[in-house]
Amino acid sequence: MENMLELLTNANTQWVLLGALILGFASGLIGSFVLLKKQSLIGDAMAHATLPGVCMAYLIFGVKSIPLFLLGAACTGLLATYFIQAIVKHSRIKTDASIGVVLSVFFGLGIVLLTYISKNTTGDKSGLDDFIFGQAAAMVKGDIQVIAVGSLLIILISSLFFKELKISIFDPLFAKGIGLPVGLFNGILMGLVVGIVVVGIQMVGVVLIAALLITPPLAARYWTDQLGHMSFLSGIIGAISGVVGTLISTTGEGLPTGPLIVLCASAIFLISLLLGTRKGLITKVVKQA
Amino acid sequence: MTHALQIQNLAVTYEKQPVLEGVNFNIPEGTLTGIIGPNGAGKSTLIKAILHLIPRLSGDVTVYGKPYKKQRSLIGYVPQRSEVDWDFPTNALDVVLMGRYGHIGWIKRPGKKEVNFAYECLDKVGMKDFAHRQISQLSGGQQQRVFLARALAQDSQIYFMDEPFAGVDAATEKAIMKLLQEWKQQGKTVLVVHHDLQTVRDYFDHCLLLNKTPIECGPTETVFTLNNLEKTYGGAISFLGNGPALVQEG
């Protein structure tokens, strides 16, 4: 207990917790749109595909620099998204298979590069492994600032264009009919997903960051039938998961942050699935009785 | 008579196959036009192409004498009910409010005036009591009425409706027709993709017979004939008696 108190008063821990809170909220918020647009798995593939980008940035520039890593991550993440859509457009392969192929190729390449780096390069390469599962404890104030600014920007954009994103997802044909550039808003949403993945991988890791996009809105859907409430609640669930997961992760020696955050979100999902006021399993049985 | 809508040389292809070609027709102001033709004739595609929702190979769309893009605010569109995800977390009122989005402009949220107007529109289609009902909990007919209320909220001059009668109950069908008649009396122009040949004469004063290209377009009395229908449906029509009772075979 004393340990925990000490941890909470530690300035660095406070920064990290703040980062987890904002990141969790932002990803829960836009996760609602992604879920309703049925693009959750594209987000997952994009996240996995950021690993080779991080490794290539290290190989090319030879330094550990978070901004360069995130730039590399954004490049390969976007490239993977482009490939998924190009494969669907120009072949008989359907979206699910296309996502599977692209995800495994990019992630495989990432692991190969990571192994190569750890065996064959000299210099400080510590911390690169942490991109797989995330390591909040290793983060410093500068890293958190990147997360905070990125997440706040994402929250701002999705709040400003809430109405436009909503109609573009619910009824794209009607939206086009009233002259809304639906393609642009699809692009904005995709950009927001790339943004959250890129700023989040250091804390949550490439393997599980997508779960932070998918699980909170799924849980939130069990409590409300209104998109506005759903995306806000989803943000709250994401924020709680981020904070609790990070807290547990920083107390233990080298516990990876991503899995803990995701386990926490999944616990909230499980509770929602059972007790949610909208079609929760137990709630339904009780209502029928 | 003023032409509300003029279509010139419209063509659409899908994967290099022509879906629509040589489409030329005019629609006079204040008419109710039924767009009629067999499955795969390109009826929905025609509406989408006119509204610039899908790419066109060629074609000019003129609305009240000006290009479509300048007149977009005059046009309302009611898509097929099956085109949207009714499990989407939203309620009837919210969907109707979407009809105001084009008027509100970007970023801004609908205000009290807009909300009150949306309630009025729901009331007109007999759905006021369902305003806060989650849309997945509405019946097919009720969902169609919500779409209709949204069209009302758009307050347009020309409406395009894609199979509004598909899968709705008799009461809803009546409610839709009542509204269409009202629109017509207000001088609005309505184009409806329609399947039921039996009701064409009762519902529409104008017809566009379509099978990849317009077969005929004009007042129902003159163009809705057995001869023209056979041309449109490729002979798969049988004629019962002398009335409007036409039955499509197969």
Side-chain angles (χ1 to χ4, degrees):
Chain A
M1 202 60 223
E2 229 169 84
N3 234 343
M4 184 69 102
L5 215 65
E6 205 174 296
L7 203 65
L8 281 173
T9 47
N10 179 314
N12 200 54
T13 313
Q14 288 171 355
W15 272 105
V16 171
L17 286 177
L18 182 72
L21 182 106
I22 303 175
L23 177 74
F25 188 86
S27 65
L29 183 67
I30 63 160
S32 306
F33 297 112
V34 178
L35 180 75
L36 291 168
K37 206 168 156 45
K38 304 184 172 68
Q39 283 189 337
S40 304
L41 283 176
I42 293 187
D44 194 25
M46 189 192 287
H48 278 79
T50 57
L51 187 61
V54 172
C55 295
M56 280 182 209
Y58 179 79
L59 283 172
I60 293 170
F61 298 102
V63 286
K64 254 191 79 184
S65 150
I66 295 297
L68 286 177
F69 284 177
L70 299 191
L71 191 70
C75 288
T76 47
L78 282 172
L79 196 66
T81 318
Y82 172 77
F83 278 147
I84 291 169
Q85 284 160 352
I87 289 173
V88 173
K89 199 172 173 190
H90 299 294
S91 75
R92 299 172 53 185
I93 299 168
K94 298 272 187 292
T95 310
D96 60 337
S98 169
I99 289 173
V101 167
V102 172
L103 183 152
S104 35
V105 167
F106 274 80
F107 190 60
L109 180 66
I111 295 293
V112 168
L113 289 175
L114 200 62
T115 320
Y116 174 81
I117 289 170
S118 63
K119 291 239 166 82
N120 296 296
T121 59
T122 51
D124 178 21
K125 53 210 170 195
S126 62
L128 223 49
D129 285 356
D130 288 344
F131 274 93
I132 296 183
F133 289 120
Q135 191 51 270
M139 299 177 85
V140 294
K141 195 171 154 184
D143 303 336
I144 300 298
Q145 279 168 343
V146 173
I147 290 186
V149 172
S151 303
L152 286 175
L153 203 65
I154 287 163
I155 293 169
L156 181 75
I157 294 173
S158 46
S159 317
L160 276 181
F161 294 120
F162 180 82
K163 175 172 118 258
E164 285 76 15
L165 287 169
K166 175 177 171 179
I167 192 168
S168 304
I169 296 168
F170 172 63
D171 197 344
L173 282 179
F174 180 82
K176 265 192 193 175
I178 60 173
L180 208 69
V182 173
L184 175 71
F185 285 104
N186 289 343
I188 288 178
L189 185 59
M190 201 49 98
L192 294 175
V193 174
V194 177
I196 204 78
V197 164
V198 166
V199 299
I201 47 174
Q202 206 191 350
M203 183 175 272
V204 189
V206 301
V207 176
L208 290 173
I209 180 80
L212 201 52
L213 280 172
I214 302 168
T215 319
L218 272 180
R221 188 68 183 85
Y222 279 94
W223 300 98
T224 172
D225 280 334
Q226 280 292 299
L227 179 61
H229 299 161
M230 174 181 159
S231 43
F232 185 73
L233 184 61
S234 169
I236 299 285
I237 292 170
I240 293 173
S241 313
V243 169
V244 174
T246 308
L247 208 55
I248 301 172
S249 144
T250 31
T251 50
E253 280 290 307
L255 277 175
T257 315
L260 287 167
I261 290 181
V262 169
L263 280 179
C264 181
S266 305
I268 299 178
F269 167 71
L270 201 66
I271 294 168
S272 308
L273 173 71
L274 294 174
L275 300 174
T277 48
R278 294 283 184 277
K279 296 189 182 166
L281 295 179
I282 292 178
T283 316
K284 257 202 301 200
V285 173
V286 171
K287 269 187 184 167
Q288 275 164 11
Chain B
M1 209 184 300
T2 334
H3 287 309
L5 183 72
Q6 288 171 285
I7 309 296
Q8 277 157 335
N9 198 25
L10 184 98
V12 176
T13 54
Y14 182 70
E15 291 184 345
K16 293 182 183 158
Q17 296 291 317
V19 182
L20 287 170
E21 50 192 347
V23 179
N24 293 286
F25 64 88
N26 299 324
I27 301 291
E29 183 181 24
T31 51
L32 287 183
T33 302
I35 302 174
I36 293 148
N39 290 330
K43 303 183 293 288
S44 294
T45 308
L46 175 67
I47 288 192
K48 287 174 189 165
I50 291 174
L51 299 177
H52 294 25
L53 304 179
I54 54 169
R56 289 154 297 143
L57 193 65
S58 67
D60 291 315
V61 178
T62 313
V63 177
Y64 285 107
K66 288 186 192 147
Y68 168 78
K69 281 193 173 161
K70 289 193 176 157
Q71 305 281 65
R72 199 181 306 241
S73 59
L74 297 180
I75 289 166
Y77 171 46
V78 183
Q80 271 184 49
R81 201 156 43 83
S82 57
E83 303 250 18
V84 309
D85 170 17
W86 290 95
D87 258 335
F88 197 88
T90 193
N91 60 28
L93 181 68
D94 247 5
V95 175
V96 177
L97 272 171
M98 288 177 190
R100 299 303 297 166
Y101 282 11
H103 302 257
I104 299 169
W106 286 33
I107 296 176
K108 279 177 271 175
R109 301 287 158 91
K112 198 163 175 108
K113 206 180 90 195
E114 255 75 35
V115 174
N116 286 337
F117 188 56
Y119 274 118
E120 267 177 50
C121 296
L122 274 170
D123 198 20
K124 265 204 180 149
V125 297
M127 288 290 292
K128 199 177 180 183
D129 296 340
F130 297 89
H132 296 283
R133 186 73 69 89
Q134 154 71 14
I135 52 171
S136 64
Q137 290 166 9
L138 300 171
S139 72
Q142 289 168 333
Q143 288 173 346
Q144 191 63 56
R145 286 180 196 216
V146 170
F147 262 14
L148 213 60
R150 180 173 71 174
L152 263 172
Q154 278 190 280
D155 196 20
S156 308
Q157 280 305 307
I158 304 182
Y159 283 105
F160 291 84
M161 307 177 85
D162 203 344
E163 297 205 27
F165 301 110
V168 305
D169 51 293
T172 300
E173 184 152 347
K174 255 189 193 157
I176 296 174
M177 270 329 290
K178 195 177 145 219
L179 195 69
L180 294 193
Q181 292 295 345
E182 247 172 65
W183 279 344
K184 181 182 147 75
Q185 274 155 25
Q186 291 165 8
K188 298 186 178 197
T189 310
V190 189
L191 289 93
V192 181
V193 171
H194 191 61
H195 256 302
D196 181 9
L197 294 177
Q198 312 256 10
T199 50
V200 171
R201 276 179 203 268
D202 296 334
Y203 287 0
F204 304 108
D205 58 6
H206 231 75
C207 275
L208 169 66
L209 301 177
L210 184 79
N211 194 348
K212 300 217 156 103
T213 191
I215 309 296
E216 282 291 343
C217 181
T220 307
E221 282 169 40
T222 52
V223 304
F224 194 73
T225 62
L226 182 63
N227 194 13
N228 283 337
L229 282 168
E230 277 178 351
K231 268 196 240 165
T232 311
Y233 286 81
I237 290 285
S238 61
F239 195 50
L240 301 174
N242 299 316
L246 282 155
V247 178
Q248 188 184 349
E249 281 175 356

